[in-house]
Amino acid sequence: MVDSQTIDEKISDKKEKIDEKIDEQKEKFDEKKEKGKNIADNVINDLYSSIDEFKDYIRNMQKTADQKYADYKKSTVQTLDIDLVETKNTYYIKAAVPGVEKDDVLIEAGDNDITIETTFDSYIEEFSEDETAELISSAIKTGRCVKTIRFENSLDLENITAKFANGIVTITIPKLIIPKHKVNVE
């Protein structure tokens, strides 16, 4: 028979071996945990870096799009904003030309049309001497602007009048009233 002391020694030896294995496993687990944490930190840092790069890319893309749009606006002929009113004998036009001098507004009338033309300068041009000036946003019309209005009736070209005040051109256009003649049939 085996005595109890021998059993206790064997149990104690087994317990020590188990504790050693647990400690080994714990160390391996801690190493793997640390390695996983480092990998996760690297992934997160890479992700943040990628997001920052993407934000920079979007900002640059927005700047490029804004510049292309500004260039497009400069190269295209825009239309003027007008109000048009008709009465029995007259047409009235009110055209908004803010910031433009009276001499820079050109009005031409044809038999049944009228054209209003002007050029708007960009606000940034007022800062041409300051090299640090940068256009951040532009929603005001710039460049050459033309508006042609065609009428059903012929116009009385000799009596067209135009007035300029406070950036508004008001044009009065009388209709050409051609009397009808009765023709006798024989």
Side-chain angles (χ1 to χ4, degrees), residues 124-136:
I124 190 71
E125 291 175 19
E126 293 180 24
F127 299 90
S128 62
E129 298 197 12
D130 185 353
E131 293 179 12
T132 62
E134 179 182 346
L135 184 65
I136 295 180

Side-chain angles (χ1 to χ4, degrees), residues 128-155:
S128 62
E129 298 197 12
D130 185 353
E131 293 179 12
T132 62
E134 179 182 346
L135 184 65
I136 295 180
S137 175
S138 177
I140 298 175
K141 289 181 184 182
T142 59
R144 183 171 164 248
C145 294
V146 177
K147 179 70 174 185
T148 299
I149 304 108
R150 302 204 188 295
F151 301 97
E152 289 181 17
N153 302 68
S154 293
L155 307 177

Side-chain angles (χ1 to χ4, degrees), residues 97-101 104 119-121 164 166-167:
V97 290
V100 174
E101 298 294 324
D104 294 334
T119 301
F120 293 102
D121 294 329
F164 181 89
N166 299 323

Side-chain angles (χ1 to χ4, degrees), residues 73-100:
K73 277 178 50 177
K74 287 179 185 175
S75 67
T76 60
V77 176
Q78 298 187 48
T79 185
L80 289 170
D81 297 326
I82 68 157
D83 285 344
L84 174 63
V85 174
E86 179 182 14
T87 64
K88 182 178 178 185
N89 297 321
T90 310
Y91 294 106
Y92 298 93
I93 296 175
K94 183 187 263 187
V97 290
V100 174

Side-chain angles (χ1 to χ4, degrees), residues 5-19:
Q5 186 176 1
T6 308
I7 292 176
D8 287 340
E9 284 176 13
K10 284 186 178 184
I11 289 176
S12 180
D13 286 343
K14 291 283 185 186
K15 187 177 178 187
E16 281 178 29
K17 286 181 182 179
I18 290 174
D19 286 342

Side-chain angles (χ1 to χ4, degrees), residues 3-186:
D3 64 30
S4 74
Q5 186 176 1
T6 308
I7 292 176
D8 287 340
E9 284 176 13
K10 284 186 178 184
I11 289 176
S12 180
D13 286 343
K14 291 283 185 186
K15 187 177 178 187
E16 281 178 29
K17 286 181 182 179
I18 290 174
D19 286 342
E20 285 176 14
K21 285 204 181 227
I22 288 175
D23 288 341
E24 275 179 37
Q25 292 298 321
K26 192 174 181 183
E27 283 179 28
K28 285 181 183 179
F29 175 76
D30 288 342
E31 284 177 21
K32 285 183 180 180
K33 179 179 155 187
E34 190 64 33
K35 202 177 203 182
K37 184 180 175 203
N38 289 339
I39 290 172
D41 287 344
N42 289 340
V43 167
I44 288 173
N45 289 337
D46 288 347
L47 182 62
Y48 283 142
S49 176
S50 296
I51 290 171
D52 290 341
E53 288 174 10
F54 183 69
K55 285 179 185 177
D56 290 341
Y57 176 75
I58 293 295
R59 279 189 208 105
N60 289 335
M61 195 167 69
Q62 181 66 44
K63 257 186 185 174
T64 302
D66 290 344
Q67 184 61 45
K68 296 281 184 196
Y69 178 68
D71 293 345
Y72 170 76
K73 277 178 50 177
K74 287 179 185 175
S75 67
T76 60
V77 176
Q78 298 187 48
T79 185
L80 289 170
D81 297 326
I82 68 157
D83 285 344
L84 174 63
V85 174
E86 179 182 14
T87 64
K88 182 178 178 185
N89 297 321
T90 310
Y91 294 106
Y92 298 93
I93 296 175
K94 183 187 263 187
V97 290
V100 174
E101 298 294 324
K102 176 174 95 170
D103 296 336
D104 294 334
V105 178
L106 174 67
I107 301 171
E108 292 180 341
D111 183 45
N112 67 340
D113 64 13
I114 192 161
T115 300
I116 308 162
E117 181 179 338
T118 192
T119 301
F120 293 102
D121 294 329
S122 177
Y123 183 51
I124 190 71
E125 291 175 19
E126 293 180 24
F127 299 90
S128 62
E129 298 197 12
D130 185 353
E131 293 179 12
T132 62
E134 179 182 346
L135 184 65
I136 295 180
S137 175
S138 177
I140 298 175
K141 289 181 184 182
T142 59
R144 183 171 164 248
C145 294
V146 177
K147 179 70 174 185
T148 299
I149 304 108
R150 302 204 188 295
F151 301 97
E152 289 181 17
N153 302 68
S154 293
L155 307 177
D156 185 357
L157 299 176
E158 301 298 319
N159 294 311
I160 294 174
T161 60
K163 294 180 182 175
F164 181 89
N166 299 323
I168 300 290
V169 176
T170 306
I171 306 168
T172 304
I173 310 163
K175 295 177 183 177
L176 186 60
I177 312 272
I178 301 172
K180 295 184 181 182
H181 296 284
K182 199 170 199 178
V183 177
N184 292 327
V185 179
E186 295 181 21

